[in-house]
Structures are given as C-alpha cells and as structure tokens.
Amino acid sequence: MTAETAGTGQGSGTSTGTGTGTGTGTGTGTHSGTGSGTNGTAGSAARDGVRAGLRAARWAPGDRILWRYRDNGDGHVHICRPVTVVQDTDDLLAVWMAPGTECVKPVLLDGSPVHDEPLATRYTAPRTTTRAHWTGMGVLKLARPADPWSVWLFWDRGWVFRSWYVNLEAPRVRWSGGVDSEDHFLDISVYPDRSWLWRDEDEFAQAQRAGLMDARQARRVRQAGDAAVEVIRAWGAPFADRWEDWRPDPRWTVPELPADWDRTPAHTAP
C-alpha cells in the first residue's frame, strides 16, 4: 500500500515499518524480520474481530472513527487516519477521509519518505512515525466485513473520478474507536474502463525476503488478490454500485487526530 501508487498526494500509506508509535509520533525501531511469526495471531484476531463486529451495534452516518494499520513486524499502530462514517451495515463499512485530515504515517528516522529508501533495505531501515495532513482530494474507503481487502475511491479536483484501489489487507478488527488491520503489500488499481493492474509486486516480494511474510501467508495474500480480480472481472460490488457518484455531506467537518491515536482497544464495539 503506497499513497503514490494509490494516487494520493500525501504519501501516508506505506505498509510495514517498525517505529514504536506513540501519541506524539516519536517512536523508533527496526524490523526484526520476524513478522511472519505473528501473522497467525493477527489472522485469528482479525477473524474474531470480524465476528464480534458483526454482532456489535453499528456506527451512524457522521460518526467519527479511526482507520488504522498495524506494523507487519511487531504489531504496533503505525498508520492512523481519522474518518467519517458514511454507512455501516452488516454488509459494508464505508468511510470518508476528508482533504486536510491530519494522519499518522511511517517515515525514515531523518523524516524522509519511506520510499526514499532503496527497496533492498526499505523494510529493515529504522523508522519513526510523524503527523502529516492529507493533501489533494479525499478518499472514500469501502470494506465488506470478511473480505481480505478494502476498496478506495480517488477523484481529481472537480470530482472527476480517477480510479478504485484494492488494498489487500487483513479483515478489519472493529473496536470502540474504529477499525484496525494489517497491510499485505500487494494492491490492485482499477479504472473506469474496467481495466486493472497489479501494484507493488516488488514490495510484496521484498516483504517476503525481509521475513515479514512467510510463504504460507504470501500464498493466501496472492489468493485473496486473485479473488479480488474475479470480482473486478465480473464487475461486482462495489465497482458496479456507483459509489463514484457519491458526495460527502457538506455539513461534515474534518475529524481531529486524537492524542491517543495509538491506544490499545479495550473492547470491540461500538
């Protein structure tokens, strides 16, 4: 998952990184290369979270939650994006990340973008987290509860629709303040003419070399990608659902990033 390939202006969405994120975004660290050892636990937690989420009360349109990603190595939160709930049903969670939203993202220790680091050392170079505002148009994120991916919609200025972006990830775990997931490196861009292409295959391969994903999990991720491609080819949901015509409620304001953005969920909810 990279903001550059997804078509955003902010660059806040690279997967992995081992900074020990804190409320001030100052933690640091390096990958130990043992991420694959925690993936089974993360997968089990994700499944439990999906089941708990299906039983939980729903968020209402206009509610503000956090959409977070945990590091693939030690599991701390290293990406956090405040979003506004558009829809929350048994079948779909839709959220809006507004332009100008203050987010948390991983960076190299000197503050430079993660993608400035050569691919060979991108997942072992020390990192920290920083706060930065999302630039350009906002992003609409759609996720069905059990799907190992979410679909993001991007527009150019003037609400000219650009593309969908299928972000392969662990099924989201619901908690009282939002949802947590783990990025799986591999992604798919989908265009209005129904063409599509794989994204970040080089990072997907490097993550395996760096020990962040073992061969078994990599096969599952590739299978999830193939399943997403079948949905694209059939032009199923959400591609056929005209979400590109959706617009945010003009009364909504930009959600604030809380000081405890990296807090440990006490319980699933809401």
Side-chain angles (χ1 to χ4, degrees):
M1 168 178 59
T2 68
E4 291 83 0
T5 55
T8 74
Q10 192 240 29
S12 68
T14 65
S15 58
T16 80
T18 57
T20 55
T22 68
T24 57
T26 59
T28 63
T30 60
H31 275 308
S32 62
T34 59
S36 61
T38 64
N39 285 327
T41 301
S44 176
R47 289 188 293 272
D48 291 345
V50 169
R51 287 192 290 267
L54 288 172
R55 295 191 297 269
R58 294 293 165 189
W59 290 300
D63 284 351
R64 298 177 175 190
I65 64 172
L66 301 178
W67 187 289
R68 309 193 306 184
Y69 288 95
R70 295 189 173 276
D71 174 82
N72 301 76
D74 63 16
H76 74 274
V77 176
H78 71 148
I79 294 172
C80 180
R81 297 165 179 165
V83 295
T84 302
V85 174
V86 174
Q87 175 181 312
D88 185 23
T89 67
D90 288 348
D91 300 318
L92 184 72
L93 174 62
V95 303
W96 169 244
M97 186 173 67
T101 299
E102 186 179 25
C103 304
V104 173
K105 66 174 181 177
V107 292
L108 300 177
L109 280 184
D110 64 1
S112 58
V114 168
H115 281 77
D116 284 359
E117 183 71 22
L119 182 62
T121 53
R122 189 169 297 166
Y123 301 128
T124 54
R127 297 186 184 186
T128 185
T129 54
T130 191
R131 295 170 178 245
H133 289 86
W134 192 272
T135 61
M137 294 291 289
V139 181
L140 179 65
K141 298 189 177 190
L142 310 174
R144 295 187 296 187
D147 280 351
W149 64 76
S150 58
V151 179
W152 307 354
L153 283 76
F154 292 96
W155 290 264
D156 290 322
R157 295 195 181 278
W159 289 102
V160 176
F161 183 66
R162 181 190 303 173
S163 62
W164 297 267
Y165 191 77
V166 180
N167 194 74
L168 296 174
E169 61 191 37
R172 290 129 310 276
V173 177
R174 292 172 65 105
W175 56 285
S176 60
V179 294
D180 288 359
S181 184
E182 179 186 273
D183 184 67
H184 286 163
F185 304 95
L186 192 62
D187 307 295
I188 308 168
S189 284
V190 184
Y191 299 99
D193 65 0
R194 303 194 182 188
S195 63
W196 59 272
L197 57 86
W198 293 106
R199 293 285 192 181
D200 304 325
E201 291 186 286
D202 57 343
E203 293 189 332
F204 180 58
Q206 183 60 33
Q208 295 170 63
R209 289 191 290 268
L212 296 176
M213 183 178 292
D214 61 24
R216 182 177 179 181
Q217 188 188 19
R219 285 194 297 271
R220 290 198 300 267
V221 172
R222 180 62 79 172
Q223 289 168 356
D226 291 341
V229 167
E230 289 305 309
V231 175
I232 295 165
R233 286 174 170 159
W235 210 243
F239 307 103
D241 294 340
R242 302 305 304 176
W243 280 102
E244 61 268 34
D245 297 330
W246 174 87
R247 299 293 182 266
D249 189 323
R251 297 171 295 179
W252 289 347
T253 57
V254 178
E256 294 184 359
L257 178 68
D260 60 347
W261 55 266
D262 60 347
R263 65 189 180 273
T264 300
H267 56 276
T268 55

